[in-house]
Amino acid sequence: MYWCKIARTKAEFDDIARLNYETFVEEIPQHQPDASGRRTDPFHEQNTYLIVLSGVELVGMIALRSERPFSLDLKIGNVENFLPDMGKVCEIRLLAVRKAHRNGRVFFLLASALSDFCLEQGFESAVISGTTRQLKLYAQLGFGAFADAVGTGEAVFIPMVTTRRQYLDSAAARLQSKRRQFVPGPVALAAEISAPFQKMPFSHRSAAFYGVRQEVDRMLFEMTGASSHLLSGSGTLANEAMLAQLTELGTKGLILVNGEFGRRLARQAERLNLNYEVTENPWGQAFDFEKIKEQLATGDYGWLLMVHGETSTGQLNDFFAITDVCKQWDIKLCIDCISSFGAVPFSLENVWLATATSGKAIGTMSGIAIVFAHHKITPNQGLPSYLDLGLYSANIPFTFPSSLLESFECALAAYPERYELLNRRFRQLQKETEDWPVLSAGYPTSRTFKVTDDTRFLVQDAHLSGFELHSASAYLKTRGLFQISCIQPEFEKDWQQFLEFYSYYERYHATAKARH
């Protein structure tokens, strides 16, 4: 198996020096032979090396740097004299692959990793001294000549440049392998769920739209036991429409927080000037509902707000434990079910309002915000019209994409069988990561892990190798966490490939420790 990483250790730099010598001394006579069999690049301390490994053997590399002067500057003068509008630029050098591994897989993996790394670093263009032996290869990366050739004999090089746009139009970009996703959203669309987006859309005022809407409402009621209000927007919109209903009550509320999305509810409540208190637990710690019941009994609370699926920590909060008390004290229970809807079956029988979205576990695109209710909601002139759920009770009052509604209908048709599919996937994920440093017991569609010394570069190296783990959110970065989700449509196949990658990743680092 080929995989990619950034070189960071002395052992890796020793391997790079050997490959550098093999390629640019023995094969391409660019430098004088040396008895050591190694060549350290003059810009080594400034280089970032992307390396490709076959199992645990280094078989390919490429280096980039942005400090000036470039080696190309020293050959032809400042490259800006030829390319005045190149933006933030880096120089790519030392593209080398061992002869036995010169195949499309290594080349396209290096190209993909290089593109991703340059994009993350904000580079808009890249220059290279292209050997005349590999002009076709450079062309496949989108490189084109911008100055006359330099050098003599067998070591002749052509100054070449590529840009983001040129790379995206290149053969390398078109032919690189698809990324294997383990993120909790957005979700790659299965063929049947993407089919409605290929059809001609129809008006949200039409009879055809009304027919699809009726079927969606029926399926949503079967799943939750509550009536649905559909808004065109994200889960954040659903939450704000729910909170807007609380402004009419004129009572104090209690917001339960044990993760990022509980905090988001509190921030949204603050923007709407709601009167509330917050009970906050450490991240990933389950609520003590006995204490919360005591708190509700002593305070003058009219509503309680909490997150069901707190995916920031991998915690599934048991809102059922509080429903009887809320009913007894006439406290209106409001639940953010944005991540849990479609992940696990549950009833909203004793819930006043709850929110969900078409994305996440359901398996289609985000864009439909859902607010569930049991009671009739009437229009309120005091609310912005887009947040006024009373306007949504009987129809769709504003423009709504028919293709998204049809795709949502198709995704809902997979239930209840999809619950078992996700449960089976999660049990597999749980079993095969049981020795990993998990933050909490486990969410039904993802696991949250602590970054350790052994895994501090795992997310980045997995990304460069074509595997997307979830760590980009600030709340994960600041706490040293990453997540793996099992909601993507090709999880089973992609997960087996990731496990193969991870087995080599572990073996490689164990070998590196031994060498060190």
Side-chain angles (χ1 to χ4, degrees):
M1 180 183 185
Y2 293 116
W3 58 286
C4 189
K5 70 184 298 293
I6 293 175
R8 306 180 183 94
T9 68
K10 181 181 182 303
E12 289 170 334
F13 296 139
D14 286 344
D15 289 341
I16 286 170
R18 280 190 283 270
L19 180 56
N20 196 359
Y21 188 89
E22 289 174 19
T23 305
F24 299 105
V25 176
E26 296 179 339
E27 183 177 356
I28 302 174
Q30 185 177 349
H31 305 288
Q32 293 299 314
D34 187 285
S36 68
R38 292 174 172 82
R39 175 170 176 78
T40 300
D41 185 67
F43 302 107
H44 173 74
E45 295 299 326
Q46 300 168 6
N47 288 343
T48 296
Y49 296 94
L50 303 179
I51 57 176
V52 171
L53 299 112
S54 174
V56 296
E57 177 195 3
L58 189 151
V59 299
M61 70 176 186
I62 197 165
L64 71 156
R65 59 187 285 267
S66 58
E67 294 188 42
R68 308 299 288 270
F70 292 153
S71 64
L72 199 51
D73 291 329
L74 302 177
K75 295 172 183 174
I76 65 172
N78 286 347
V79 295
E80 285 84 358
N81 295 335
F82 301 86
L83 302 165
D85 301 318
M86 64 197 317
K88 185 179 179 182
V89 60
C90 67
E91 182 176 44
I92 296 172
R93 304 174 58 251
L94 308 180
L95 172 59
V97 178
R98 288 204 158 93
K99 288 183 179 180
H101 298 273
R102 287 179 185 171
N103 55 56
R105 291 171 60 201
V106 174
F107 169 68
F108 289 127
L109 181 55
L110 268 177
S112 175
L114 180 65
S115 171
D116 289 342
F117 186 82
C118 287
L119 183 63
E120 290 165 3
Q121 299 300 311
F123 292 118
E124 298 167 83
S125 59
V127 295
I128 193 170
S129 298
T131 173
T132 54
R133 302 179 180 205
Q134 298 292 349
L135 293 183
K136 181 178 179 181
L137 192 67
Y138 299 128
Q140 290 180 316
L141 280 168
F143 278 99
F146 68 88
D148 294 334
V150 294
T152 58
E154 295 186 67
V156 177
F157 298 90
I158 298 177
M160 308 182 83
V161 65
T162 189
T163 65
R164 289 181 187 175
R165 173 47 53 195
Q166 286 171 240
Y167 175 76
L168 291 174
D169 290 338
S170 71
R174 292 194 302 272
L175 296 176
Q176 68 187 37
S177 300
K178 78 172 185 67
R179 308 199 70 82
R180 297 169 180 87
Q181 301 282 348
F182 301 99
V183 296
V187 184
L189 302 186
E192 65 275 13
I193 293 176
S194 66
F197 297 104
Q198 314 306 316
K199 296 166 52 179
M200 180 70 182
F202 46 85
S203 170
H204 65 289
R205 307 292 185 202
S206 66
F209 187 96
Y210 181 70
V212 177
R213 170 64 196 273
Q214 278 190 311
E215 183 61 14
V216 166
D217 285 344
R218 183 193 65 78
M219 289 190 284
L220 289 174
F221 187 84
E222 283 189 359
M223 291 175 71
T224 64
S227 299
S228 53
H229 304 73
L230 305 188
L231 298 76
S232 181
S234 68
T236 303
L237 173 64
N239 279 346
E240 293 190 344
M242 173 174 67
L243 293 174
Q245 291 296 305
L246 298 178
T247 63
E248 299 183 57
L249 301 179
T251 56
K252 182 174 69 175
L254 179 65
I255 302 178
L256 307 185
V257 175
N258 63 350
E260 174 62 23
F261 296 107
R263 285 185 180 174
R264 180 177 72 169
L265 287 176
R267 291 194 297 268
Q268 290 177 296
E270 183 178 7
R271 283 178 171 270
L272 287 168
N273 295 314
L274 288 168
N275 179 16
Y276 64 93
E277 295 177 4
V278 172
T279 291
E280 183 162 1
N281 276 19
W283 271 48
Q285 184 181 105
F287 296 119
D288 185 339
F289 284 107
E290 293 306 314
K291 288 185 177 179
I292 292 170
K293 289 173 185 178
E294 293 174 6
Q295 185 176 0
L296 291 174
T298 58
D300 183 21
Y301 299 104
W303 50 271
L304 185 144
L305 179 62
M306 64 181 289
V307 172
H308 184 207
E310 183 54 84
T311 48
S312 67
T313 63
Q315 182 71 38
L316 187 66
N317 293 314
D318 182 14
F319 71 85
F320 303 103
I322 205 72
T323 54
D324 288 342
V325 171
C326 288
K327 190 174 182 179
Q328 177 186 350
W329 294 94
D330 195 25
I331 295 170
K332 293 176 170 53
L333 179 59
C334 300
I335 307 292
D336 174 342
C337 299
I338 289 169
S339 293
S340 59
F341 176 64
V344 289
F346 55 84
S347 169
L348 297 174
E349 181 181 357
N350 294 309
V351 175
W352 192 62
L353 292 174
T355 57
T357 182
S358 56
K360 306 291 185 180
I362 288 292
T364 187
M365 289 180 63
S366 295
I368 299 179
I370 311 162
V371 182
F372 293 103
H374 292 283
H375 59 287
K376 181 174 176 58
I377 302 175
T378 57
N380 180 353
Q381 292 292 330
L383 295 176
S385 57
Y386 210 61
L387 296 180
D388 185 0
L389 289 179
L391 298 178
Y392 295 86
S393 293
N395 57 20
I396 295 286
F398 310 112
T399 300
F400 200 101
S402 62
S403 300
L404 182 54
L405 187 69
E406 285 191 295
S407 179
F408 188 41
E409 177 189 27
C410 183
L412 292 175
Y415 288 87
E417 291 79 11
R418 183 168 168 82
Y419 288 131
E420 177 52 35
L421 170 68
L422 295 177
N423 185 38
R424 184 170 65 250
R425 288 177 174 180
F426 178 71
R427 290 197 304 268
Q428 178 186 2
L429 174 61
Q430 197 172 34
K431 178 181 178 181
E432 292 172 339
T433 59
E434 60 185 358
D435 296 330
W436 293 27
V438 68
L439 177 65
S440 59
Y443 189 76
T445 56
S446 66
R447 300 198 86 192
T448 303
F449 303 99
K450 302 173 186 175
V451 175
T452 65
D453 287 343
D454 290 335
T455 61
R456 60 193 175 119
F457 298 117
L458 173 62
V459 172
Q460 184 178 40
D461 292 344
H463 169 70
L464 294 174
S465 301
F467 301 96
E468 293 298 331
L469 312 184
H470 182 45
S471 69
S473 297
Y475 59 81
L476 295 175
K477 285 184 176 180
T478 57
R479 290 169 174 80
L481 303 172
F482 69 94
Q483 297 177 325
I484 296 177
S485 170
C486 61
I487 66 173
Q488 300 292 338
E490 296 187 354
F491 171 79
E492 290 82 0
K493 180 180 70 174
D494 291 347
W495 179 243
Q496 290 308 309
Q497 292 181 338
F498 175 79
L499 289 179
E500 184 181 2
F501 155 79
Y502 186 70
S503 70
Y504 285 119
Y505 181 89
E506 281 193 306
R507 283 173 52 195
Y508 179 79
H509 285 281
T511 303
K513 282 184 179 180
R515 288 176 64 182
H516 180 72

